[in-house]
Amino acid sequence: MDSIEFQNLRLRARIGFSPHELDSWQDVVITMRLGSTMRLAGESDDPDDALNYKPISKAVIQLVKSRRFALVEKLAEQIARLATLEFGAPYVEVSVHKPGALRHTDSVGIRIVRRPADYARNIAYVSLGSNIAPEHNLREAVALLRGWTTVLALSPVYRSPPQGDTQQPAFLNMAVMAHTLRSPLDFKRRVIDRIERKLKRQRNPRNINAPRTIDLDIALWNDEMLEYGSKPWRIPDTDISCYAHVALPLAELAPDYAHPQTGETLRKIADRLDASDMQKLDIDFDAEVD
């Protein structure tokens, strides 16, 4: 297969998990080889028949500038996903090196090879809610989801009155669509539970509707109906058909998604639920979390 190569793209990135790395910018060196068919361009000498590599380079630069990464593996995976799914490369090799990361070496790095089929992953739709420092905690939760999954889309945020126990502050609710290689139970244990622990979620067995720093639930999983775990938890989440604060954010993400049990679209479900006491908010999830 023909290929286009980006050799040694040198950028500054926020990358690493050691204490001295958390708030510092470090050099990274990125090399990419993108599969491409060049016969047409070679025959015609017409720029329109060639792969325009400048937008890909700009997108990679923006990705590195706008995100914080714990691992070079995550950065390389995000670059590969960008090249294959957003720019249509049928094949990509990505290497990411950190100069000076290890004594007595020029650099330490990794190399991965990916094709679009490698991203045929599970799609998880996750509902999020908070009414303790809710804007801060939603932004923290989204940042953690971005670190531990591949986030595809965010819904708008809605302010909603509390359910059950009404003597507490209003909630902020939203939904996230993400790709993951994990099973539902592994996603619950390794992603959702870790986020709730990190954001100090406290459960009150005598009041299941008590205030909370964060609450995450798998609302939908691909287009499946299933049970998982010892509780067991059920997918689709039964709250989708009952509460506007759950249905409406999901409908914003995937309005034509057909509910696996009822066959109704999420938009139809949201439209028949009363959302008159909900308010859409504008929150920037790309800004740095305080």
Side-chain angles (χ1 to χ4, degrees):
M1 179 180 288
D2 302 336
S3 64
I4 291 178
E5 296 185 358
F6 295 73
Q7 286 285 348
N8 300 332
L9 179 62
R10 300 179 184 275
L11 301 173
R12 299 278 286 170
R14 291 169 294 178
I15 191 164
F17 55 87
S18 299
H20 70 278
E21 296 176 309
L22 293 179
D23 296 311
S24 63
W25 290 84
Q26 300 180 66
D27 293 327
V28 293
V29 180
I30 299 167
T31 294
M32 300 172 59
R33 179 179 292 117
L34 291 85
S36 178
T37 301
M38 301 183 185
R39 288 191 295 271
L40 273 178
E43 178 182 69
S44 67
D45 202 25
D46 185 341
D48 289 340
D49 289 330
L51 177 67
N52 186 352
Y53 49 80
K54 188 173 182 179
I56 302 175
S57 174
K58 290 177 66 175
V60 170
I61 293 169
Q62 179 60 30
L63 172 70
V64 174
K65 287 173 56 179
S66 63
R67 295 277 304 279
R68 178 183 284 111
F69 301 91
L71 300 173
V72 290
E73 289 88 342
K74 179 72 172 182
L75 174 55
E77 197 70 55
Q78 291 294 296
I79 293 171
R81 184 182 180 278
L82 188 75
T84 53
L85 297 188
E86 297 192 30
F87 289 95
Y91 165 93
V92 64
E93 296 180 25
V94 179
S95 69
V96 180
H97 281 252
K98 292 175 67 176
L102 191 65
R103 291 179 63 190
H104 310 302
T105 66
D106 292 334
S107 67
V108 175
I110 64 161
R111 173 182 170 273
I112 65 171
V113 178
R114 296 291 185 268
R115 292 174 172 82
D118 293 324
Y119 296 100
R121 302 176 175 180
N122 295 311
I123 297 181
Y125 296 83
V126 183
S127 297
L128 295 83
S130 171
N131 72 337
I132 298 175
E135 183 172 337
H136 171 81
N137 282 312
L138 283 183
R139 291 176 63 206
E140 285 274 12
V142 168
L144 291 168
L145 280 169
R146 282 173 165 163
W148 295 335
T149 70
T150 300
V151 170
L152 302 176
L154 307 176
S155 79
V157 175
Y158 287 89
R159 179 179 286 117
S160 313
Q163 302 292 323
D165 180 1
T166 59
Q167 302 303 308
Q168 59 178 307
F171 275 79
L172 298 189
N173 294 100
M174 65 179 297
V176 173
M177 179 168 59
H179 264 153
T180 180
L181 293 170
R182 302 183 188 277
S183 68
L185 183 57
D186 196 38
F187 190 90
K188 172 77 170 63
R189 290 172 172 169
R190 298 284 295 170
V191 179
I192 286 178
D193 289 352
R194 288 172 71 192
I195 292 173
E196 291 189 344
R197 285 196 301 270
K198 189 171 181 65
L199 298 185
K200 297 179 171 57
R201 166 74 189 272
Q202 300 292 323
R203 283 179 167 79
N204 182 350
R206 292 176 294 182
N207 182 5
I208 62 172
N209 296 307
R212 62 209 63 187
T213 55
I214 197 67
D215 184 26
L216 295 94
D217 294 292
I218 302 174
L220 298 162
W221 189 270
N222 300 322
D223 57 358
E224 301 174 38
M225 291 189 298
L226 54 90
E227 295 182 349
Y228 67 99
S230 58
K231 190 174 181 176
W233 291 278
R234 291 179 172 84
I235 296 173
D237 188 336
T238 55
D239 286 349
I240 295 172
S241 299
C242 302
Y243 298 109
H245 70 269
V246 178
L248 185 53
L250 291 168
E252 296 269 14
L253 285 180
D256 297 324
Y257 178 102
H259 190 286
Q261 283 180 308
T262 69
E264 291 180 288
T265 65
L266 292 177
R267 174 52 62 198
K268 186 174 181 180
I269 293 172
D271 286 346
R272 65 175 170 76
L273 296 172
D274 182 9
S276 60
D277 52 5
M278 294 174 59
Q279 177 188 1
K280 185 185 288 191
L281 305 180
D282 183 17
I283 295 178
D284 182 6
F285 285 95
D286 292 321
E288 282 289 311
V289 178
D290 297 334

